[in-house]
Amino acid sequence: MKISPYKFVAVSYKLYAGDNEEQDLVEETTADQPLTFISGTGFMLEAFEKNLTGLDQGEAFDFTLAPQEAYGEYHDDRVADLPKNMFEVEGIFDDSRVYEGAMVPMMDVEGNQLNGIVASIGDDTVVMDFNHPLAGDSLHFVGKVEEVREPSKEELEYAQNPHGGCGCGSEGCGDGCDSCN
């Protein structure tokens, strides 16, 4: 069976990030603990899925995604100097959660949640980087398709709505979202 939309897919791979001259291993999955997903449901990078489409179980793959196909270019305007007192708990700076390299969940003025990486901590400010950690990097995937099959009803339902329910905000929608329309 070939990878196509709405198939259960399991892949093992090594992911290298960086430019063409220097790449670092940033993630590895194995045949015992592969990455699994339902193709075509929008949870994987579109270009990643495109490169896997048409492959059979047991086939190897080796491809590179340019930054614009992956997590985009790095943007300097997504780095912000924030007042250090924003990170205080009961008047004391929270150095147990806020340290260089830490990912800190935050909220913008419109209430959107976003994650930032602490780039540096100064006397009065904390420099936060809101770029994706792999922004600006090419991603090189080398791996193997471990499994391709029809998903179970439960796998497909979860892939289409991983938060449960039918997505309409109503409790107990039953087997579909007809009651939401």
Side-chain angles (χ1 to χ4, degrees):
M1 180 177 288
K2 293 184 181 295
I3 296 174
S4 61
Y6 303 104
K7 298 292 187 242
F8 176 92
V9 178
V11 294
S12 59
Y13 64 86
K14 290 184 179 181
L15 167 59
Y16 300 91
D19 58 32
N20 290 334
E21 296 173 16
E22 187 176 325
Q23 295 186 340
D24 297 316
L25 178 66
V26 295
E27 184 176 73
E28 182 174 5
T29 66
T30 64
D32 292 336
Q33 293 187 315
L35 168 70
T36 61
F37 61 97
I38 306 297
S39 60
T41 57
F43 287 99
M44 304 304 296
L45 292 170
E46 185 177 334
F48 175 81
E49 284 198 43
K50 184 177 179 183
N51 278 278
L52 295 178
T53 297
L55 295 181
D56 283 313
Q57 183 169 316
E59 278 194 74
F61 56 86
D62 184 340
F63 58 87
T64 300
L65 303 181
Q68 60 271 22
E69 297 174 297
Y71 296 105
E73 297 295 341
Y74 187 88
H75 296 280
D76 290 331
D77 64 347
R78 294 184 184 161
V79 177
D81 289 346
L82 301 176
K84 195 172 182 179
N85 65 1
M86 286 180 60
F87 302 93
E88 291 179 355
V89 176
E90 296 180 9
I92 299 170
F93 181 74
D94 187 2
D95 59 5
S96 68
R97 292 186 187 164
V98 183
Y99 52 88
E100 283 188 31
M103 183 173 289
V104 179
M106 301 192 75
M107 193 174 298
D108 66 15
V109 294
E110 296 165 354
N112 299 308
Q113 292 185 356
L114 53 143
N115 290 318
I117 304 285
V118 178
S120 65
I121 300 171
D123 291 336
D124 299 318
T125 61
V126 175
V127 178
M128 296 292 296
D129 186 344
F130 294 101
N131 285 285
H132 186 281
L134 296 174
D137 286 336
S138 293
L139 304 182
H140 182 192
F141 292 89
V142 179
K144 179 181 172 187
V145 178
E146 300 294 341
E147 184 178 8
V148 181
R149 62 173 169 76
E150 293 295 332
S152 69
K153 180 182 176 187
E154 293 79 18
E155 289 167 334
L156 188 56
E157 286 175 356
Y158 180 80
Q160 292 173 331
N161 188 16
H163 303 293
C166 67
C168 66
S170 172
E171 293 294 323
C173 290
D175 289 333
C177 287
D178 292 341
S179 63
C180 301
N181 295 331

